[in-house]
């Protein structure tokens, strides 16, 4: 596709369940980022991928959060044993290559609600 | 570590009036600065970026921003507001080196309201 695609667009689940969020970056983009947007915390960095490697996982809030990227393309963010504080919009972004000057292109996000 | 402060969580202007959204940054190394816009239920769209080539940066939809190192500012302006400019605007900073790898640090956002 032409842009970053995220699925599902909305996810409602019960506390304690596991969820998987998917991101399809722009074709050819080697760098991929996950951010979380919540009312209390604003936009926060979670994790960065260059190819299939994650050099920077510093933003993951707890060990319940994990992410992987396969084939240098699709990425999945997994949240285990979800808590109500995990409710947020999870945004994925990609850029052509790594670098601070590179513009990041964002998907429309997955809105996650934990009941 | 770098940080961004956006002054004013809400800004309201009349259609046709000047838009000024304020952003100040803190960074110990030369920064790269970005403005993004977010419409309801959508992701972030890049408006413009500063990468040291020129201090006055022009972006999409008539927006521009000026990098002022002495003031550590990167304010966003538009001469004449349109109704379609109503959205939330985010200023972000990125730096090279270390483990940053281009991750963005965002300000808290400014919601722009445009009145007819």
């Amino acid at each position: 596709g032409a842009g970053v695609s995220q699925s599902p667009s909305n996810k409602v689940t019960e506390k304690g369940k596991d969820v998987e969020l998917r991101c399809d970056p722009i074709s050819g983009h080697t760098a991929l980022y996950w951010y979380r947007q919540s009312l209390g915390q604003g936009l926060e960095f979670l994790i960065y991928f260059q190819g299939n490697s994650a050099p920077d996982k510093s933003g993951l809030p707890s060990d319940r959060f994990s992410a992987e990227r396969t084939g240098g393309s699709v990425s999945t963010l997994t949240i285990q044993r979800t808590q109500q504080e995990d409710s947020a919009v999870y945004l994925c972004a990609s850029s052509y290559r790594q670098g601070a000057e590179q513009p990041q292109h964002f998907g429309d996000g997955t809105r996650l609600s934990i009941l | 570590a770098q940080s961004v402060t956006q002054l004013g969580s809400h800004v309201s202007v009349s259609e046709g009036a000047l838009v000024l959204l304020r952003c100040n940054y803190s960074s110990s190394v030369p920064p790269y600065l970005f403005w993004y816009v977010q419409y309801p239920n959508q992701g972030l769209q890049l408006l413009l970026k500063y990468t040291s080539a020129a201090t006055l940066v022009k972006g999409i939809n008539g927006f521009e921003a000026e990098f002022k190192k002495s003031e550590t500012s990167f304010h966003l302006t538009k001469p004449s507001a349109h109704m379609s400019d109503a959205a939330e605007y985010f200023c972000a900073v990125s730096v090279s080196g270390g483990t940053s790898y281009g991750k963005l640090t965002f300000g808290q956002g400014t919601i722009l309201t445009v009145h007819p």
Side-chain angles (χ1 to χ4, degrees):
Chain A
V4 177
S5 177
Q6 292 187 247
S7 61
S9 54
N10 287 281
K11 177 71 176 179
V12 180
T13 193
E14 294 180 348
K15 176 182 173 182
K17 300 288 188 182
D18 297 352
V19 296
E20 285 189 354
L21 311 180
R22 177 187 169 103
C23 172
D24 279 277
I26 293 172
S27 178
H29 280 199
T30 62
L32 186 148
Y33 302 80
W34 283 97
Y35 296 89
R36 181 169 70 174
Q37 185 174 25
S38 59
L39 283 177
Q41 301 299 321
L43 275 156
E44 305 172 284
F45 166 80
L46 296 178
I47 188 169
Y48 155 73
F49 286 93
Q50 176 58 35
N52 293 335
S53 300
D56 190 351
K57 307 178 183 179
S58 62
L60 294 178
S62 75
D63 59 7
R64 295 186 296 104
F65 287 72
S66 63
E68 66 174 8
R69 189 179 185 194
T70 56
S73 179
V74 172
S75 177
T76 302
L77 178 68
T78 301
I79 309 173
Q80 296 179 309
R81 305 180 302 280
T82 53
Q83 303 294 313
Q84 287 189 333
E85 60 263 28
D86 300 335
S87 295
V89 177
Y90 290 82
L91 293 166
C92 176
S94 69
S95 62
Y96 180 66
R97 56 183 175 87
Q98 73 177 51
E101 77 287 358
Q102 293 293 311
Q104 294 179 24
H105 303 265
F106 284 79
D108 286 342
T110 293
R111 183 174 299 275
L112 177 62
S113 299
I114 309 300
L115 302 179
Chain B
Q2 57 274 13
S3 66
V4 172
T5 301
Q6 291 183 239
L7 300 175
S9 58
H10 291 79
V11 170
S12 180
V13 300
S14 297
E15 192 174 18
L18 171 72
V19 175
L20 171 60
L21 305 181
R22 299 178 187 273
C23 171
N24 288 88
Y25 69 92
S26 174
S27 176
S28 58
V29 297
Y32 298 97
L33 294 160
F34 304 82
W35 274 100
Y36 284 88
V37 60
Q38 186 177 36
Y39 298 98
N41 299 314
Q42 293 186 24
L44 281 70
Q45 180 183 2
L46 180 68
L47 281 176
L48 50 79
K49 63 177 183 176
Y50 167 74
T51 58
S52 75
T55 57
L56 182 62
V57 181
K58 294 187 183 297
I60 62 171
N61 302 337
F63 284 94
E64 63 181 38
E66 186 172 8
F67 173 73
K68 292 186 176 181
K69 184 178 179 180
S70 61
E71 300 177 7
T72 60
S73 68
F74 189 57
H75 301 332
L76 182 70
T77 61
K78 182 174 180 178
S80 177
H82 294 168
M83 297 295 291
S84 60
D85 294 328
E88 189 163 15
Y89 292 79
F90 292 92
C91 182
V93 64
S94 180
V95 298
S96 293
T99 59
S100 294
Y101 294 101
K103 72 181 180 185
L104 295 169
T105 300
F106 289 90
Q108 289 299 307
T110 297
I111 296 173
L112 175 67
T113 303
V114 182
H115 296 286

